[in-house]
């Protein structure tokens, strides 16, 4: 809208200029100028600048989105990553993450997270779950064991009997 002096406001001039530019240029044009702008910005700013704007952007995003949003983008990111990487990639990054974590934490940390994991599992699984994994564990150990007959109950049998006993 024009002001009293028949001049355009900066806002209106910017809008009209943007509309005209959009009509005259394609996607590649915007990619190219975005690339150039990113390179120029990276030459003028250091790591701390990017950490700060990343922090601000993350905070602003978290204020506008809920748990489901992050679950959805995490799912999409995981799917996209899995399409581009194989089992060895995940083993390598898992190893690196485990190594980094072990350098920063002690035995008590692992005891605490193990306890929390056990509590969370017990809240979400019933008696049948534990019977099933007990039997599977007993069978697996029994399959590893030598077939020597020393008169002792096999681990497989002990796991099975334990599962049966806890069903009662």
């Amino acid at each position: 809208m024009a002001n009293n002096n028949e001049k355009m406001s900066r806002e209106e001039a910017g809008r009209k200029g943007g509309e005209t530019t959009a009509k005259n240029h394609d996607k590649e044009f915007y990619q190219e100028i975005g690339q150039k702008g990113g390179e120029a910005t990276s030459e003028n700013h250091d790591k701390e600048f990017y950490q700060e704007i990343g922090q601000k952007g993350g905070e602003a995003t978290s204020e506008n989105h809920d748990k489901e949003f992050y679950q959805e983008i995490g799912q999409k990111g995981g799917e996209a990553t899995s399409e581009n990487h194989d089992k060895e990639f995940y083993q390598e990054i898992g190893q690196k993450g485990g190594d980094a974590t072990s350098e920063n934490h002690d035995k008590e940390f692992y005891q605490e997270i193990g306890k929390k994991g056990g509590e969370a599992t017990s809240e979400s699984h019933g008696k049948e779950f534990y019977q099933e994994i007990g039997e599977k564990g007993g069978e697996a150990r029994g399959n590893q064991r030598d077939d020597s007959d020393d008169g002792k109950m096999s681990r497989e049998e002990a796991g099975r009997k334990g599962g049966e006993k806890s069903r009662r």
Side-chain angles (χ1 to χ4, degrees):
M1 178 180 251
N3 62 23
N4 294 338
N5 297 330
E6 296 296 323
K7 294 182 179 178
M8 247 187 269
S9 69
R10 287 186 182 176
E11 180 182 341
E12 187 176 0
R15 183 183 52 76
K16 285 187 174 189
E19 290 171 357
T20 302
T21 302
K23 290 176 186 174
N24 295 329
H25 297 286
D26 59 6
K27 180 180 176 181
E28 288 76 24
F29 169 79
Y30 290 103
Q31 289 174 334
E32 185 178 329
I33 64 170
Q35 178 75 30
K36 289 178 180 177
E39 290 171 0
T41 302
S42 71
E43 291 171 4
N44 296 321
H45 297 285
D46 59 6
K47 180 180 177 181
E48 288 75 22
F49 169 80
Y50 290 101
Q51 289 173 331
E52 184 179 328
I53 64 171
Q55 179 75 28
K56 288 179 181 178
E59 290 170 359
T61 301
S62 71
E63 291 171 3
N64 296 319
H65 297 287
D66 59 7
K67 180 180 176 182
E68 288 74 25
F69 169 79
Y70 291 101
Q71 289 173 335
E72 183 180 331
I73 64 170
Q75 178 76 28
K76 288 178 181 177
E79 290 170 359
T81 301
S82 70
E83 292 172 3
N84 297 316
H85 298 287
D86 58 9
K87 180 180 177 182
E88 288 75 27
F89 169 80
Y90 292 102
Q91 289 173 333
E92 183 180 334
I93 63 170
Q95 182 68 45
K96 287 179 180 178
D99 291 345
T101 302
S102 69
E103 290 173 7
N104 297 320
H105 298 287
D106 59 8
K107 180 180 177 182
E108 288 76 25
F109 169 80
Y110 292 102
Q111 289 172 335
E112 180 66 23
I113 64 171
K115 181 179 177 185
K116 288 180 180 179
E119 291 170 355
T121 302
S122 71
E123 291 172 6
S124 61
H125 294 288
K127 184 178 176 181
E128 296 79 19
F129 169 78
Y130 292 100
Q131 290 170 345
E132 182 180 335
I133 64 170
E135 287 181 25
K136 286 181 179 179
E139 290 171 6
R141 292 295 299 234
N143 291 337
Q144 292 174 348
R145 186 184 165 144
D146 292 335
D147 290 328
S148 63
D149 187 16
D150 55 7
K152 295 182 181 177
M153 185 186 309
S154 72
R155 290 185 176 136
E156 178 182 357
E157 186 178 356
R160 185 180 47 76
K161 286 186 177 184
E164 289 172 358
K165 190 174 188 179
S166 64
R167 284 188 190 131
R168 295 179 197 160

